[in-house]
Amino acid sequence: MCREISLATCGGVLITATWTRTECAGSPKTTVLPSFFLPIFLLQATIHTRFAIMTIDEFEPEDVLTEINRKLANVSITNLNYSSGDVVDKSILPNVKQYLEASQPREKECFTAVQMIRKYLTQGTGTASLMSTNDILQLDILPRLRELLVEDNVPDLQFEVAWIVTNIAAGTSAQVHPLIEAGFVPALLECLKAPRVSISVKAQAAWALSNFAGESAALREELMRKGAITAVAHVLSLVCDETYDESIIWSGSTKRVTILNEDLRTDIKALTWSISNMARGGFRTADFWDMYIPAFEALSKAILFDHRELWVDGGWGLSRILHNTHDVEAFYHDLNVDPNLGTRLAELLVEPHITVSIPILRTLINITSAPTDQSMMFFDSQLLSVLSNLMSQDTPTCLRRDAFLVVANLVATESPIVEQVLEEDQILREVESAIGVPSHVFDPSTATWAPQRYYVRYPVDEDWKVTMEALWIVCNLLTVGCDAHITALLESYRQLPTDLMSILYYDHDRIPLNTITKTIDAMIDLVKRTNNLFNEDINPITQHWIECDIGNQLASLQQTHSGRQAFVESCLELNDLVYQCSNNVAAMFGLANRLTTTGANKRRVLHGLEDGDVRLIENAVGKLTI
């Protein structure tokens, strides 16, 4: 039996992927059907999907990588010795039910009846598919199907029943509920845990459970309570271990670790996607941290194989798990991190596919948002070099923004990474290129920003996000770096004071509030960190800003955002620092001793393309003193 799953892209709704499975189903050629079962039926390749119910903190997703934000139906079948023009007619369903209930699991009539039910479910699309599901539910055969699902001595029959459950579970909430009431969740879990059940059946059972997970956050939580993700992770981990060594041998000089067995590759893809889908949140995920450990470890093994679908689904799964267990110390304490995982993540960032880069970057964002000793478990020496390439202006803005965010988080670790970032010249060059007004050029002679007419690649709002991340890098460097680091920063990026000041000249009504706020923060930090670096009575940076009329610019900003008390206070603080320092009274602020900065912050972003959520959570490490 061959199974082919095809997803088509249409306005960002689906992404194309094709899976095939060869499954021995007894001897279809010798199957004899009663006359009223004819004509025999086959469907054309179809897909049955629907958006999962969104949970809290969800917004409209981006148009890329949307294959994982759906519940998938395993719907296409070929090579079953049926004529492609034949279909299962609704009128014979009562007879199908009769043979289903009257025959024994090992009898051909039982297998054929199950196969026909599965085929009836898959021969329509859209509304027709939902109607077909209703027709099957109205037969009242779920109890019988559940009995057959746990018949582990008839694997072909089990596989077909699990396939039926997968398709029904991809329907509406009203269609999913009868499956739950009929006890299919524990039955599917029984399939996953039974030692005699084949990997193909287990993969199909995992797929069906994952469709349940796509129904709602409440169902995902219930599946977590029943240990579904742990059961699937155990299967995936085992099959990866059994497959990897053989794949290494066959890789030869290519070093591409591929899964040669097509059926096995399909099973591993289904198991990986299932874990990734179950890892979506919407409930108190931290309560289940111990169940996420085997899931994380299994996905870490899956992405070692050189198959793009595994990188995509595995990357999203890793990102979600890290998001769900943020600030859970026990998770990191008990997690057995593969020593090659950091290297593997850095390798995957080099892949020229945005569908791979986005989830891997999100994984790194969530990794680097963890406390230093935990995030350093994943750090690879080649990572900064790879990130510097993604920070280039030639990189799509969504990737560029995330690469900047990873660097900002790394800089906030208060570790030797600060020095490594400063030594990576390209990173500082890209930071310098990003600090300014997107799609504009500054004219110092007139102190104005002129638009670039040719700049049409990306929406300006997206570029402002890159500017914001570049400012985060500067703020964190100024906060965490020692005096030698600050000196190195200013030597490498001599235009930093001027570039920060130039942003204040842009139209105060048009610049995003969060961007100008972070600019003011960076300027405050810069003054505080440089006052004790210069031997002159006057800090040349503050003197330069005074000559640029910083006082009037700050006054105008305060008036524009008069209702934002915190922002107004920041403007006043910067104004006082600049003009008081220029009067040679810096010592009165105790700057020769210890000073308080705005603090380094780690942040994490999870684009949950699987359920339409985009979460931006800022976690302040706290006020730091230097």
Side-chain angles (χ1 to χ4, degrees):
M1 183 187 335
C2 292
R3 190 172 49 155
E4 179 178 321
I5 302 106
S6 300
L7 306 181
T9 302
C10 179
V13 174
L14 287 172
I15 280 186
T16 301
T18 301
W19 296 1
T20 60
R21 176 197 297 274
T22 302
E23 187 73 29
C24 294
S27 180
K29 290 184 179 180
T30 60
T31 299
V32 179
L33 300 179
S35 59
F36 58 79
F37 264 55
L38 301 176
I40 312 295
F41 352 138
L42 184 61
L43 60 157
Q44 296 183 6
T46 56
I47 188 71
H48 179 183
T49 63
R50 77 180 186 88
F51 281 103
I53 297 174
M54 295 196 296
T55 58
I56 58 172
D57 295 331
E58 294 166 348
F59 302 90
E60 186 66 19
E62 298 176 6
D63 285 340
V64 66
L65 284 179
T66 53
E67 83 275 12
I68 207 165
N69 72 346
R70 285 160 169 62
K71 301 192 301 181
L72 299 183
N74 187 358
V75 297
S76 175
I77 191 167
T78 60
N79 200 27
L80 288 179
N81 299 311
Y82 295 133
S83 170
S84 61
D86 291 336
V87 297
V88 179
D89 190 83
K90 180 180 178 180
S91 62
I92 68 169
L93 289 181
N95 295 326
V96 174
K97 175 183 177 179
Q98 178 182 348
Y99 270 76
L100 176 71
E101 296 182 336
S103 56
Q104 295 301 312
R106 289 184 174 274
E107 295 178 347
K108 293 179 180 179
E109 290 83 359
C110 184
F111 178 80
T112 303
V114 169
Q115 201 172 61
M116 293 169 71
I117 293 169
R118 183 263 303 153
K119 194 155 61 107
Y120 182 76
L121 286 170
T122 61
Q123 63 191 16
T125 59
T127 303
S129 179
L130 295 177
M131 293 176 63
S132 297
T133 299
N134 286 333
D135 293 338
I136 297 300
L137 290 174
Q138 289 171 5
L139 291 177
D140 194 25
I141 58 175
L142 292 185
R144 177 57 172 164
L145 290 176
R146 189 199 179 286
E147 292 175 1
L148 298 176
L149 179 61
V150 294
E151 285 284 346
D152 59 6
N153 58 346
V154 191
D156 297 334
L157 185 66
Q158 267 190 305
F159 182 82
E160 291 285 342
V161 176
W163 198 335
I164 290 171
V165 177
T166 300
N167 285 332
I168 296 176
T172 65
S173 298
Q175 293 169 338
V176 173
H177 185 70
L179 292 175
I180 299 172
E181 291 295 311
F184 276 93
V185 170
L188 291 166
L189 289 172
E190 184 177 338
C191 289
L192 282 169
K193 298 175 182 179
R196 295 177 54 186
V197 173
S198 69
I199 293 298
S200 293
V201 172
K202 290 183 177 183
Q204 192 64 54
W207 195 335
L209 285 170
S210 186
N211 275 359
F212 281 113
E215 173 58 30
S216 67
L219 263 179
R220 286 196 290 277
E221 183 174 11
E222 182 63 23
L223 288 173
M224 290 296 294
R225 294 188 186 281
K226 293 183 181 297
I229 197 171
T230 304
V232 178
H234 176 75
V235 176
L236 177 60
S237 184
L238 181 63
V239 71
C240 283
D241 289 341
E242 293 175 346
T243 307
Y244 188 76
D245 291 341
E246 180 182 353
S247 298
I248 284 288
I249 294 174
W250 285 101
S251 66
S253 60
T254 65
K255 304 300 182 182
R256 304 290 288 185
V257 186
T258 57
I259 306 169
L260 300 180
N261 185 297
E262 191 173 338
D263 296 342
L264 188 59
R265 184 167 67 248
T266 300
D267 291 335
I268 292 177
K269 289 176 181 178
L271 291 164
T272 301
W273 179 82
S274 298
I275 293 177
S276 181
N277 209 30
M278 290 181 186
R280 291 158 50 188
F283 55 97
R284 292 180 58 85
T285 53
D287 294 345
F288 304 94
W289 64 267
D290 55 329
M291 296 184 182
Y292 287 120
I293 289 178
F296 187 94
E297 294 172 355
L299 292 177
S300 299
K301 296 176 182 180
I303 65 171
L304 295 178
F305 294 102
D306 288 300
H307 297 284
R308 194 190 310 173
E309 298 94 334
L310 296 180
W311 301 339
V312 173
D313 294 341
W316 282 119
L318 292 172
S319 176
R320 292 169 192 144
I321 290 172
L322 291 167
H323 181 271
N324 293 342
T325 56
H326 188 71
D327 284 338
V328 181
E329 294 184 5
F331 170 80
Y332 288 96
H333 180 270
D334 291 359
L335 182 64
N336 182 24
V337 179
D338 188 321
N340 299 317
L341 180 57
T343 301
R344 185 55 171 167
L345 293 174
E347 290 174 351
L348 294 181
L349 280 182
V350 182
E351 290 295 323
H353 303 286
I354 192 172
T355 55
V356 176
S357 302
I358 289 181
I360 298 302
L361 277 171
R362 301 297 164 80
T363 297
L364 287 169
I365 290 170
N366 287 342
I367 286 173
T368 56
S369 72
T372 299
D373 57 340
Q374 298 166 353
S375 60
M376 287 303 98
M377 294 190 299
F378 303 89
F379 185 73
D380 179 77
S381 59
Q382 300 301 313
L383 180 59
L384 289 177
S385 176
V386 176
L387 288 171
S388 66
N389 292 328
L390 289 174
M391 296 167 73
S392 166
Q393 295 183 65
D394 296 329
T395 302
T397 304
C398 58
L399 296 181
R400 191 178 182 217
R401 177 195 63 221
D402 285 357
F404 271 81
L405 204 161
V406 174
V407 173
N409 278 351
L410 285 171
V411 171
T413 58
E414 301 180 82
S415 71
I417 291 182
V418 173
E419 187 168 341
Q420 294 181 45
V421 169
L422 291 172
E423 291 174 352
E424 193 71 39
D425 292 339
Q426 186 175 345
I427 287 181
L428 292 181
R429 289 198 299 271
E430 298 302 340
V431 169
E432 182 175 359
S433 70
I435 294 182
V437 177
S439 73
H440 288 67
V441 175
F442 185 68
D443 183 353
S445 64
T446 60
T448 57
W449 288 93
Q452 293 174 300
R453 299 181 184 277
Y454 60 83
Y455 194 95
V456 294
R457 291 191 311 158
Y458 306 109
V460 174
D461 288 347
E462 291 300 307
D463 281 310
W464 275 119
K465 295 177 182 178
V466 175
T467 302
M468 182 70 173
E469 299 307 333
L471 290 167
W472 270 107
I473 293 176
V474 170
C475 285
N476 286 348
L477 281 171
L478 291 172
T479 299
V480 174
C482 63
D483 285 352
H485 293 149
I486 305 306
T487 300
L489 172 64
L490 293 175
E491 287 179 352
S492 300
Y493 186 1
R494 294 180 179 274
Q495 281 294 112
L496 176 60
T498 300
D499 287 348
L500 292 174
M501 182 65 213
S502 66
I503 294 178
L504 272 59
Y505 286 112
Y506 189 61
D507 189 337
H508 295 167
D509 291 316
R510 298 181 62 186
I511 188 169
L513 179 60
N514 62 348
T515 303
I516 191 61
T517 299
K518 187 52 61 179
T519 303
I520 298 298
D521 285 347
M523 297 176 80
I524 290 173
D525 286 347
L526 185 58
V527 174
K528 290 180 176 180
R529 292 309 309 275
T530 56
N531 275 331
N532 59 335
L533 294 181
F534 297 106
N535 295 323
E536 294 90 345
D537 291 338
I538 297 178
N539 185 329
I541 293 177
T542 60
Q543 187 62 31
H544 169 64
W545 288 346
I546 290 173
E547 294 170 357
C548 292
D549 198 22
I550 189 174
N552 283 334
Q553 295 301 323
L554 291 174
S556 176
L557 282 168
Q558 293 176 61
Q559 184 176 0
T560 301
H561 302 287
S562 58
R564 305 283 184 171
Q565 185 61 31
F567 177 76
V568 170
E569 291 177 357
S570 294
C571 290
L572 290 172
E573 180 183 3
L574 177 58
N575 186 81
D576 290 345
L577 280 171
V578 168
Y579 285 96
Q580 287 171 344
C581 289
S582 69
N583 291 326
N584 193 23
V585 291
M588 69 182 294
F589 296 97
L591 296 178
N593 299 313
R594 295 174 65 83
L595 53 94
T596 301
T597 74
T598 55
N601 279 264
K602 290 189 175 186
R603 292 154 302 133
R604 58 200 174 107
V605 174
L606 174 67
H607 263 192
L609 299 175
E610 75 288 353
D611 57 0
D613 68 338
V614 179
R615 299 191 182 98
L616 172 59
I617 302 178
E618 298 191 358
N619 297 287
V621 174
K623 297 294 183 179
L624 304 179
T625 58
I626 299 176

